[in-house]
Amino acid sequence: VTVDLEGPYPKIDAAEELIASWQAEGEQVIIFSCFNEPLTNLHSALQRTGFYTSALLTGSVSLTERDQSIHDFQQGTLDVLLINKKVGAQGLNLQKCDQWPGGARIAIHLDRFWNPAVEEQANGRILRMNSREPVMAVYLHVVNSIDDHMLAIVESKAANIGQMDSGFLRASLE
């Protein structure tokens, strides 16, 4: 799902509104960004409200802190987990499942990454094979901004990957 926004800096406000609406439904949320600063700003904003528990996973977080944050999220004691896409794209199990009381079905992307595979890996943190739980990835998009250019790059690369995949499949079948 893409949410189109207007204005100079609407992503933090939009993310806070989405978190509030899903939190009211008892959902935990994962926030992804390519950049640490928006994650840090949103983390600070959430802490200032006093309504949400959140943790930040960036390259500067120690392995001990990272493991504790993941554990807390899986146990349902964190409402929001803010993750740098390159740090958290692989090796994290954060989805809702029977193995732990917490987990997420919702991911919000504050920005796009030029490589669609990295975004798919990030979304994979909330997917679980054979699960019937619906999942949602929300992409915040500011109209008439760099987001337009990034979206065009991502769509172009995704189309090229699709063409390559079908070419490889066709060649392997012949």
Side-chain angles (χ1 to χ4, degrees):
V1 175
T2 300
V3 177
D4 288 331
L5 307 168
E6 293 186 19
Y9 303 103
K11 289 185 179 182
I12 299 297
D13 293 338
E16 284 185 75
E17 288 176 21
L18 291 169
I19 291 166
S21 67
W22 285 314
Q23 175 63 29
E25 297 174 15
E27 294 288 342
Q28 291 174 274
V29 179
I30 298 174
I31 308 290
F32 287 109
S33 178
C34 301
F35 308 101
N36 291 343
E37 188 171 350
L39 293 171
T40 302
N41 292 342
L42 181 55
H43 180 58
S44 296
L46 292 173
Q47 287 183 324
R48 278 193 304 272
T49 68
F51 295 121
Y52 310 103
T53 56
S54 61
L56 190 60
L57 297 184
T58 65
S60 62
V61 173
S62 73
L63 196 54
T64 303
E65 285 178 276
R66 172 190 155 110
D67 291 345
Q68 185 63 51
S69 296
I70 292 166
H71 175 77
D72 292 347
F73 193 77
Q74 290 171 336
Q75 295 306 308
T77 59
L78 284 177
D79 301 317
V80 182
L81 195 55
L82 301 108
I83 306 173
N84 180 294
K85 285 184 185 182
K86 292 301 283 183
V87 170
Q90 298 178 19
L92 297 178
N93 293 317
L94 302 170
Q95 68 278 356
K96 275 199 177 294
C97 68
D98 296 336
Q99 294 176 337
W100 44 75
R105 298 182 308 128
I106 301 165
I108 299 173
H109 294 262
L110 296 180
D111 44 55
R112 302 301 299 253
F113 193 75
W114 63 270
N115 183 344
V118 171
E119 292 189 339
E120 287 303 312
Q121 286 176 327
N123 290 334
R125 301 312 98 217
I126 62 172
L127 294 174
R128 183 153 184 94
M129 291 179 59
N130 299 323
S131 174
R132 295 178 191 254
E133 290 279 340
V135 298
M136 184 181 342
V138 177
Y139 296 86
L140 301 182
H141 177 96
V142 177
V143 178
N144 296 321
S145 74
I146 189 71
D147 289 352
D148 293 334
H149 300 289
M150 290 303 295
L151 179 60
I153 290 169
V154 169
E155 288 175 345
S156 171
K157 287 189 172 288
N160 288 339
I161 290 169
Q163 290 172 353
M164 286 175 30
D165 286 348
S166 63
F168 289 138
L169 179 60
R170 192 175 316 113
S172 68
L173 292 174
E174 293 173 355

XYZ file of all heavy atoms in Angstrom, residues 15-25 52:
99
model
N 3.484 8.633 10.009
C 3.861 7.388 10.691
C 3.269 7.347 12.092
O 2.742 6.311 12.521
C 5.382 7.250 10.742
N 3.331 8.466 12.816
C 2.762 8.511 14.164
C 1.260 8.243 14.145
O 0.742 7.513 14.997
C 3.026 9.869 14.819
C 4.447 10.038 15.309
C 4.630 11.352 16.049
O 4.173 11.432 17.205
O 5.232 12.272 15.474
N 0.553 8.802 13.165
C -0.891 8.576 13.057
C -1.204 7.111 12.763
O -2.122 6.534 13.350
C -1.489 9.475 11.978
C -1.548 10.933 12.358
C -2.054 11.813 11.228
O -2.731 11.296 10.303
O -1.766 13.016 11.254
N -0.445 6.517 11.841
C -0.660 5.109 11.517
C -0.364 4.214 12.721
O -1.123 3.275 13.015
C 0.206 4.702 10.323
C -0.194 5.303 8.980
C 0.882 5.036 7.941
C -1.541 4.751 8.524
N 0.729 4.510 13.411
C 1.075 3.733 14.609
C -0.048 3.837 15.634
O -0.462 2.829 16.222
C 2.415 4.212 15.210
C 3.568 3.835 14.282
C 2.630 3.634 16.610
C 4.872 4.538 14.598
N -0.560 5.040 15.853
C -1.634 5.243 16.836
C -2.879 4.438 16.464
O -3.486 3.796 17.333
C -1.973 6.732 16.948
N -3.244 4.442 15.187
C -4.455 3.711 14.794
C -4.270 2.204 14.943
O -5.164 1.500 15.413
C -4.876 4.071 13.372
O -3.934 3.618 12.428
N -3.096 1.689 14.578
C -2.869 0.250 14.707
C -2.634 -0.159 16.158
O -3.020 -1.248 16.565
C -1.722 -0.203 13.813
C -2.127 -0.253 12.373
C -3.272 -0.789 11.865
C -1.411 0.249 11.263
N -3.302 -0.650 10.508
C -2.168 -0.011 10.106
C -0.195 0.900 11.124
C -1.756 0.337 8.832
C 0.219 1.251 9.854
C -0.553 0.978 8.725
N -2.003 0.704 16.915
C -1.786 0.416 18.336
C -3.137 0.302 19.047
O -3.311 -0.536 19.921
C -0.923 1.514 18.967
C -0.732 1.383 20.457
C 0.005 0.117 20.853
O 0.804 -0.389 20.106
N -0.285 -0.383 22.030
N -4.091 1.141 18.648
C -5.433 1.080 19.230
C -6.096 -0.274 18.960
O -6.960 -0.711 19.725
C -6.300 2.215 18.686
N -5.672 -0.937 17.885
C -6.180 -2.271 17.550
C -5.312 -3.382 18.140
O -5.506 -4.556 17.849
C -6.255 -2.426 16.034
C -7.230 -1.472 15.372
C -7.176 -1.538 13.850
O -6.604 -2.508 13.311
O -7.708 -0.616 13.216
N 3.928 4.930 23.841
C 4.476 3.793 23.110
C 5.827 3.374 23.668
O 6.613 4.194 24.109
C 4.662 4.145 21.625
C 3.452 4.760 21.002
C 3.389 6.124 20.763
C 2.362 3.976 20.671
C 2.272 6.698 20.194
C 1.236 4.541 20.101
C 1.189 5.903 19.873
O 0.079 6.453 19.321
